[in-house]
Amino acid sequence: MTFPPYTQNSPSQEISDLLPPAEAEPAEGGPRQEDDDRVGVLDLLEKVGSVVVPLGVTLYALLYMGYQGMYAIFGITPEQAGIDQSVLLGRLLGTLLPLLILGAIVVGILISLGWLLNVITRGLVGRAVQRTREQPWIIAALAAAWAGASYLGWMYFVTALDAADPTAKVSVEASDVLVAAGIGVLAYLVPFRLLRRKPMGRAGLKVLVGALTGIGLGYLLMIQMIYGAIAVLEKGESTALLDAVGFQTQWAKLQDSSGKPLYDSRWMMVLGEREGGYAIYDCDKALTFRKFSESTILTEVQMWPPDRKKGFTCGSLAE
């Protein structure tokens, strides 16, 4: 191979000419945009999961405590009614999944409204949100206020337990929300601001806020579950919330092993079965008792309460 001789008068060659041509930019919708979309979706899933997972775990734990409170109204434990962890998980899926579906709908609507406002204001809302996110004290204050408001459920739960009348309803007022949010700001503002200094701290902040949100929702549900159990104890009728959390109000008439009717063929509520024994609630006498399943036959079993007179209350025979 021969090379052309170098001459002094030969035109100089630019360095840029020696470099290979740059790759063309990918067209819109090409591989690079797909990668960016994939990263954006994964980032969104990570952010959502960091909040939803602790929320679901704490909510599940508090719903189990709600089950203990419900069955304590009848004088038994969930275990005596045959409710173990596996049974409880299966029943509570009917509660957690609707909450997840409704929560997804609410979040989707809020995102759509935010996008619409951003379009109407020609990006003003988006820029304002971005500037707010860049202010660590503002984000820490909002997270602290939300954490404080999450304590409302626990506060009302303790109030309901300490009340002289356990059936007394409690209502959430705006002043209570403001007081709880203010206490949260006083307690969590500085710790949350310190957590936002590092990426690991920001991730921990999301987990903590999600857990506190689950605690607040869990205590509110616990109160309603206990109120529902009191309604069943007094009137023999379940509520929509109890049905949603899987509390089964099964009614039947009892017979002995020879087929002889027991308790004057009155309707009994079967709370559950464990270790060869039924947990039964006698609404007419407002009495809970256990009976061996081997010597007991359940007849006319149904999942809805029997027909009663209007204004019926349990314990009429005991009176």
Side-chain angles (χ1 to χ4, degrees), residues 165-316:
D165 184 6
T167 62
K169 301 290 184 178
V170 292
S171 58
V172 180
E173 299 180 358
S175 59
D176 298 333
V177 177
L178 293 177
V179 170
I183 294 175
V185 171
L186 292 176
Y188 293 116
L189 177 59
V190 174
F192 284 178
R193 173 62 184 89
L194 295 177
L195 284 175
R196 288 189 57 82
R197 288 185 173 181
K198 297 182 179 180
M200 184 175 297
R202 290 192 291 270
L205 176 60
K206 296 176 184 177
V207 173
L208 183 59
V209 171
L212 290 175
T213 303
I215 291 174
L217 291 176
Y219 274 112
L220 289 176
L221 287 175
M222 285 174 60
I223 296 174
Q224 299 302 320
M225 290 166 69
I226 293 176
Y227 285 158
I230 293 174
V232 175
L233 186 75
E234 294 179 346
K235 300 181 179 180
E237 297 179 356
S238 181
T239 62
L241 178 62
L242 292 188
D243 296 336
V245 298
F247 181 79
Q248 296 180 353
T249 54
Q250 187 180 59
W251 295 84
K253 294 182 179 180
L254 307 184
Q255 296 180 357
D256 61 14
S257 57
S258 63
K260 180 181 178 181
L262 299 175
Y263 309 108
D264 301 326
S265 296
R266 291 185 285 106
W267 287 100
M268 301 288 178
M269 179 188 293
V270 183
L271 298 174
E273 178 186 7
R274 181 175 181 180
E275 297 178 353
Y278 291 116
I280 298 174
Y281 175 64
D282 187 348
C283 178
D284 296 312
K285 293 185 178 182
L287 178 67
T288 304
F289 61 93
R290 290 177 57 86
K291 192 168 181 60
F292 289 110
S293 56
E294 295 181 356
S295 59
T296 306
I297 302 175
L298 303 181
T299 63
E300 303 182 38
V301 181
Q302 61 186 34
M303 297 299 296
W304 57 90
D307 294 333
R308 306 281 193 181
K309 296 181 180 180
K310 188 177 181 179
F312 171 83
T313 56
C314 294
S316 57

Side-chain angles (χ1 to χ4, degrees), residues 124-172:
L124 180 61
V125 174
R127 291 190 295 270
V129 172
Q130 184 62 31
R131 285 194 296 268
T132 302
R133 292 182 59 186
E134 294 173 356
Q135 302 297 324
W137 283 106
I138 295 178
I139 299 301
L142 293 176
W146 182 267
S150 299
Y151 279 94
L152 278 176
W154 174 75
M155 293 167 59
Y156 282 117
F157 178 75
V158 173
T159 302
L161 290 181
D162 293 340
D165 184 6
T167 62
K169 301 290 184 178
V170 292
S171 58
V172 180

